[in-house]
Amino acid sequence: MAIGKTTTSVLSAMGLVLCAALLPVSGCAQHGDPLDAGEGDGSRLGIARLSVEAPPTTAGDITRVTVTVLSGPEAELARDPDGNFIGTLLLPEGTHQIVGNAFVGDQLVGSSAPVSVEIQGGAATQANLRILDLAESHDIEHSPIVLSLTYPLSTVVNQPAQLSISAVDLDDDALAVEWTSDCADGMFSAPTAFVTDFTKPAAGICNVSVSVTDGELSASETFSIIIFEESQAQGAVIIEGQFVARPVMTLNVEWPGAYCFVHAHSTDGTCQEPITTSGSVALILQVDWGNSSPGAVEVTDSCGGAITDVSLSPNFNVYNWQPPAAQAACSIRAHATNSDGLSSVLSAAVLVRPEQAE
């Protein structure tokens, strides 16, 4: 039995693919459907077998697909185990206009232009049908951006401290603001205004938070205000600190056909392959200085080899190392000291066997 298929190409990733297989009357109907030999006017009937691939659209997953013949018949397609929509139509021979529609719930999200299909008795007909995504394309939302925040570091009891914030929303959404404090006796003159006064009747330290929202997304800031007694000569120091770490190094040892590397978190600093070359070996040292400034770097060996500089920079250093001419177990040691005087040491252990070189 000859079977014709109506296939669909997709204009975009959001399109749907529709294939209609138009069967001649001599075939047998799917699912045991009866197939008349013809209608009263003598025209023959064929079966349009429909299959629609339904990828997700911008509105969500497709839940329903219909295919309508403008002359009347409509097929409500059912989802198969593969997630496609399938169904059948009985059509008399002749020219027919078919339209495909896709839905998410009750929302129409895709529709095709009418496509002419010429049904001929005893022959298969193929047509292309594009169901285009009708759902609107939406950009993602963006939270507000805080442009400025002003507040005093300290004030005295019962004296208003002016606070202000300015923000912008690139989606042009209306913005709302809210000021809060962890001090139960702290008061805001206008807790939902962009400019407000903060007052506290007793001495202490208050953490103040401000949130700017566009109704869905928000941006927040938190800061501290010190409140002094008005009658006392008090002062405060605001302390900021940072942890300065020692330099962190990675040492690569490279020779023809092999290499090894060690770093600060290695559990074993021994190169597993011996160096068998009689030529020079490349030593590549990378230094992460953290939040300190670069300082002195030195690379030495323990077995009388010769080390020369090739390229030096604060973070990336390349050296040529000429290993000893006789077998030796060598330690290649890197030492780095930052501008704060903190040092790190990293070494690689390697066996030199130049007599094995070919």
Side-chain angles (χ1 to χ4, degrees), residues 199-285:
T199 306
K200 189 176 186 297
I205 300 177
C206 296
N207 294 312
V208 177
S209 297
V210 57
S211 176
V212 181
T213 179
D214 61 8
E216 294 185 2
L217 302 176
S218 62
S220 301
E221 298 283 348
T222 300
F223 54 90
S224 298
I225 298 179
I226 303 170
I227 298 92
F228 295 115
E229 292 285 356
E230 188 174 8
S231 60
Q232 297 180 2
Q234 294 178 318
V237 58
I238 298 173
I239 300 173
E240 294 184 357
Q242 69 178 190
F243 180 81
V244 179
R246 297 179 183 275
V248 178
M249 294 182 289
T250 300
L251 177 62
N252 289 267
V253 183
E254 300 182 3
W255 61 97
Y259 74 95
C260 77
F261 72 93
V262 294
H263 55 80
H265 302 292
S266 295
T267 57
D268 185 354
T270 297
C271 298
Q272 299 303 309
E273 296 292 330
I275 296 176
T276 58
T277 180
S278 59
S280 63
V281 174
L283 308 178
I284 302 172
L285 178 67

Side-chain angles (χ1 to χ4, degrees), residues 46-316:
I47 292 179
R49 182 181 178 184
L50 309 170
S51 176
V52 178
E53 296 178 17
T57 75
T58 54
D61 291 333
I62 301 298
T63 59
R64 177 171 168 251
V65 174
T66 65
V67 176
T68 303
V69 181
L70 297 187
S71 59
E74 177 179 277
E76 178 84 23
L77 307 188
R79 191 184 292 273
D80 69 7
D82 296 326
N84 299 325
F85 288 85
I86 60 174
T88 59
L89 275 174
L90 289 174
L91 296 175
E93 61 183 355
T95 301
H96 299 274
Q97 300 281 320
I98 62 174
V99 173
N101 291 308
F103 301 83
V104 174
D106 294 329
Q107 179 187 0
L108 177 66
V109 297
S111 185
S112 74
V115 173
S116 294
V117 177
E118 183 69 27
I119 304 298
Q120 296 179 356
T125 302
Q126 178 174 310
N128 292 327
L129 184 65
R130 297 185 179 123
I131 299 180
L132 304 183
D133 190 354
L134 300 179
E136 292 186 19
S137 175
H138 296 284
D139 193 3
I140 62 173
E141 295 293 325
H142 304 87
S143 61
I145 297 174
V146 174
L147 300 178
S148 66
L149 174 65
T150 59
Y151 57 91
L153 299 178
S154 64
T155 185
V156 298
V157 297
N158 295 317
Q159 179 176 319
Q162 188 177 84
L163 317 176
S164 67
I165 190 171
S166 65
V168 64
D169 187 90
L170 297 184
D171 300 325
D172 293 327
D173 295 328
L175 297 179
V177 64
E178 182 179 15
W179 300 87
T180 58
S181 167
D182 65 352
C183 291
D185 58 347
M187 295 175 292
F188 297 95
S189 62
T192 58
F194 283 85
V195 179
T196 187
D197 290 332
F198 178 72
T199 306
K200 189 176 186 297
I205 300 177
C206 296
N207 294 312
V208 177
S209 297
V210 57
S211 176
V212 181
T213 179
D214 61 8
E216 294 185 2
L217 302 176
S218 62
S220 301
E221 298 283 348
T222 300
F223 54 90
S224 298
I225 298 179
I226 303 170
I227 298 92
F228 295 115
E229 292 285 356
E230 188 174 8
S231 60
Q232 297 180 2
Q234 294 178 318
V237 58
I238 298 173
I239 300 173
E240 294 184 357
Q242 69 178 190
F243 180 81
V244 179
R246 297 179 183 275
V248 178
M249 294 182 289
T250 300
L251 177 62
N252 289 267
V253 183
E254 300 182 3
W255 61 97
Y259 74 95
C260 77
F261 72 93
V262 294
H263 55 80
H265 302 292
S266 295
T267 57
D268 185 354
T270 297
C271 298
Q272 299 303 309
E273 296 292 330
I275 296 176
T276 58
T277 180
S278 59
S280 63
V281 174
L283 308 178
I284 302 172
L285 178 67
Q286 299 180 66
V287 185
D288 182 357
W289 300 99
N291 52 15
S292 184
S293 299
V297 176
E298 183 183 25
V299 177
T300 59
D301 75 345
S302 64
C303 53
I307 298 177
T308 56
D309 301 340
V310 176
S311 175
L312 300 180
S313 69
N315 303 313
F316 192 84

